[in-house]
Amino acid sequence: CKHLATGVLGPVDLFSGAPPEYITMVFLSLTPFRCTAGETVIEAGQPGTCMYIIYKGKVKIVSASRASTGSVTLGPGSVFGEVSCLTDDLAYKRTTTVVALEYCELYVLERDVLQLANSLCPEMQRRFEVLATSRVTDLDILNKQVLQQKEKSGK
């Protein structure tokens, strides 16, 4: 189990240096999820109840404006969807759309499991909060850039 957990979570910077008990709890709660190129994994505006860990493949994160200039590509070892897992608001809506660029093997971590694990390890809770704050800030910047480009083009 430890070898498998390290293989899945080891490449994820967010989990680097996490206590072994934390890694085991998270790993045992993961659900595999596979998708094909072009498949939408997350749709902006939908409720978010889980986060995803990319094991294989690449996805494109598209800002809510869906402009091609407002996108980022993530690959193995990256996570997405974590922002919705850090709120207790079950009505929290996803802020981005995530589309598979190729065949992907992902792992799903449900909000309640992440919140329980983080409540037992405050250091990990802080890591997730820092990441979520950074992602929301990056998204705000992307959306502002898209709006500026639309204004310049007269749309």
Side-chain angles (χ1 to χ4, degrees):
C1 179
K2 184 178 179 181
H3 178 71
L4 290 173
T6 303
V8 172
L9 298 175
V12 182
D13 285 342
L14 187 60
F15 296 110
S16 175
E21 306 81 30
Y22 181 92
I23 294 295
T24 300
M25 177 188 277
V26 168
F27 175 74
L28 292 174
S29 303
L30 295 175
T31 304
F33 180 83
R34 290 171 175 77
C35 54
T36 57
E39 188 174 338
T40 299
V41 180
I42 289 177
E43 184 73 37
Q46 296 298 311
T49 60
C50 64
M51 64 173 275
Y52 296 81
I53 299 167
I54 304 172
Y55 183 64
K56 290 184 181 177
K58 292 181 183 173
V59 299
K60 180 167 71 169
I61 312 293
V62 183
S63 70
S65 66
R66 296 179 177 259
S68 61
T69 55
S71 67
V72 174
T73 299
L74 298 177
S78 298
V79 300
F80 60 91
E82 74 289 342
V83 174
S84 67
C85 290
L86 298 177
T87 177
D88 290 325
D89 181 2
L90 296 178
Y92 183 86
K93 305 286 189 220
R94 300 281 192 184
T95 56
T96 59
T97 295
V98 179
V99 179
L101 292 174
E102 58 193 34
Y103 169 79
C104 292
E105 292 182 18
L106 311 173
Y107 285 92
V108 179
L109 181 59
E110 296 295 331
R111 172 192 299 159
D112 57 348
V113 174
L114 179 64
Q115 289 182 344
L116 174 62
N118 284 350
S119 73
L120 300 172
C121 186
E123 174 195 338
M124 293 305 295
Q125 176 68 28
R126 285 189 294 279
R127 283 189 196 182
F128 273 92
E129 289 170 353
V130 167
L131 176 63
T133 300
S134 170
R135 292 275 173 95
V136 169
T137 300
D138 290 348
L139 179 62
D140 287 344
I141 291 169
L142 283 173
N143 283 333
K144 285 177 185 175
Q145 290 172 347
V146 169
L147 288 173
Q148 288 172 348
Q149 288 179 351
K150 284 183 178 181
E151 288 173 358
K152 285 181 184 177
S153 65
K155 292 183 181 179

